[in-house]
């Protein structure tokens, strides 16, 4: 993995994150103008698909680290943030004036770019993109699962089965007669809205822009969600973690929510004020919560969410799919074609709000 002069009309890409031989070949096939620089011995072994951090405790020998950084410093573009480490990203940007583009593996890669602390010149020189959209269908399925679990009172069913209690019959909620608030109408939010609409739900979406989205009956501004909260039976968060979205779902929103409503979070954990959520669960204002993301991950052992019987805890795994690595490779190749052809890249990171 040694550097070499830039070749006109070609894109030299250093692979900074784990990438299988099969997907490396796929990228080369989809965009033959890429010179892919990859040495698998310098990349941590993955424990499962899309495990871009790799095996904990894995380290490079000093000479391997030098080779890894030399490849990064010779590239026009990076496939992945080096070691999923914002500090390593900052080093790469500052050490390599020819770097034009960095693709992040996460849909929410903007947070990692923000954490790198790059200055205005650096943010203006390098394009950053995310893998948004790759996770839309798996997360939409989890969202539907959460809404259904709330409507059918999964916690009660679990308790009664555990206690071998055959209760009297009760009327279950019908998603087809529910109104669901979907926070965010990006790729994930649109997939969620489509899936819920197919089940007959009335979907209210949020956007800061005037948009028309299939399956969404009404679009409101994010600052108006408290006004519609009394009308909804379930809430699905798909929003990224930014200063504008932090604790958007807090005490004020939960107090306005229709009692017993369900909450599903497949966006970012910081959107939900977990202390306020715990209170809302205790009061019954929130009847059920299916949470795949949290303010702090791993979820601290002392969090009341672990043992609350109206909460389903998922360890940030709802997006994981066996095809994720391939889909990211395809997305990267398509964006490489756009870059080489002078077109706008998809999934550009907003370097003001970092989403």
């Amino acid at each position: 993995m040694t550097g070499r002069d830039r070749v006109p009309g070609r894109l030299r890409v250093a692979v900074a994150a784990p990438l299988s031989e099969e997907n490396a070949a796929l990228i080369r096939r989809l965009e033959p103008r890429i010179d892919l620089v990859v040495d698998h011995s310098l990349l941590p072994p993955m424990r499962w698909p899309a495990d871009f951090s790799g095996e904990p405790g894995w380290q490079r020998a000093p000479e391997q680290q030098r080779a890894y950084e030399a490849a990064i410093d010779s590239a026009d573009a990076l496939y992945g943030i080096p070691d999923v480490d914002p500090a390593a990203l900052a080093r790469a940007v500052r050490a390599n004036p020819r770097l034009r583009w960095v693709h992040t593996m996460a849909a929410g890669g903007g947070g990692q770019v923000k954490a790198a602390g790059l200055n205005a010149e650096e943010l203006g020189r390098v394009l950053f993109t995310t893998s948004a959209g790759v996770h839309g269908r798996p997360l939409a399925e989890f969202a539907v699962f959460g809404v259904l679990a709330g409507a059918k009172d999964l916690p009660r069913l679990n308790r009664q089965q555990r206690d071998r209690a055959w209760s009297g019959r009760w009327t279950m909620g019908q998603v087809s007669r529910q109104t669901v608030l979907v926070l965010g109408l990006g790729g994930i939010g649109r997939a969620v809205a489509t899936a819920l609409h197919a089940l007959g739900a009335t979907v209210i979406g949020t956007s800061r822009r005037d948009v028309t989205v299939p399956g969404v009956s009404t679009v409101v501004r994010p600052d108006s969600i408290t006004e519609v909260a009394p009308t909804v039976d379930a809430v699905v968060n798909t929003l990224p973690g930014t200063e504008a979205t932090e604790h958007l779902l807090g005490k004020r929103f939960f107090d306005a929510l229709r009692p017993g409503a369900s909450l599903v979070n497949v966006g970012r954990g910081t959107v939900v004020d977990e202390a306020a959520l715990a209170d809302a669960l205790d009061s019954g204002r929130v009847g059920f919560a299916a949470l795949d993301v949290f303010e702090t991950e791993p979820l601290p052992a002392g969090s009341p969410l672990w043992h609350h019987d109206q909460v389903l805890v998922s360890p940030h795994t709802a997006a994981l799919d066996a095809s994720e690595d391939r889909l990211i490779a395809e997305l990267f190749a398509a964006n490489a074609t756009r870059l080489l052809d002078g077109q706008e890249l998809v999934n550009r990171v907003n370097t003001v709000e970092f989403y």
Side-chain angles (χ1 to χ4, degrees), residues 110-193:
Q112 297 168 332
V113 177
K114 180 180 180 180
L118 301 172
N119 62 36
E121 183 277 327
E122 292 160 346
L123 291 171
R125 172 168 57 89
V126 181
L127 301 174
F128 299 93
T129 58
T130 75
S131 296
V134 166
H135 314 92
R137 183 166 293 180
L139 289 179
E141 287 197 8
F142 186 88
V144 169
F145 165 65
V147 172
L148 282 167
K152 307 308 179 185
D153 204 347
L154 179 62
R156 178 176 178 178
L157 291 170
N158 281 335
R159 286 193 302 270
Q160 292 192 182
Q161 181 174 348
R162 180 194 61 210
D163 298 339
R164 301 178 185 178
W166 186 275
S167 71
R169 301 171 70 189
W170 75 88
T171 302
M172 288 187 169
Q174 304 298 313
V175 173
S176 60
R177 291 198 286 271
Q178 290 193 342
T179 298
V180 183
L181 174 63
V182 177
L183 301 179
L185 292 174
I188 297 170
R190 287 171 182 248
V192 170

Side-chain angles (χ1 to χ4, degrees), residues 282-352:
D282 288 340
S283 70
R285 183 65 63 172
V286 173
F288 174 72
L291 309 174
D292 184 57
V293 290
F294 301 87
E295 290 189 86
T296 300
E297 295 183 2
L299 183 64
S303 170
L305 299 175
W306 274 117
H307 55 76
H308 202 293
D309 65 3
Q310 298 299 116
V311 175
L312 179 66
V313 171
S314 169
H316 204 148
T317 196
L320 194 59
D321 176 73
S323 64
E324 182 173 346
D325 293 341
R326 174 182 57 78
L327 293 172
I328 292 175
E330 292 173 348
L331 173 62
F332 179 83
N335 254 345
T337 298
R338 287 174 171 270
L339 184 68
L340 286 162
D341 291 345
Q343 299 175 358
E344 184 73 16
L345 302 188
V346 299
N347 291 349
R348 280 276 303 275
V349 171
N350 177 320
T351 53
V352 176

Side-chain angles (χ1 to χ4, degrees), residues 107 132-137 140 182-194 205-209 211 213-214 216 219 236-240 347 355:
V134 166
H135 314 92
R137 183 166 293 180
V182 177
L183 301 179
L185 292 174
I188 297 170
R190 287 171 182 248
V192 170
T194 297
T206 69
S207 177
R208 294 183 296 179
R209 298 176 291 114
V211 295
V213 177
V216 178
V219 177
V236 178
N237 175 54
T238 74
L239 290 169
N347 291 349
Y355 68 89

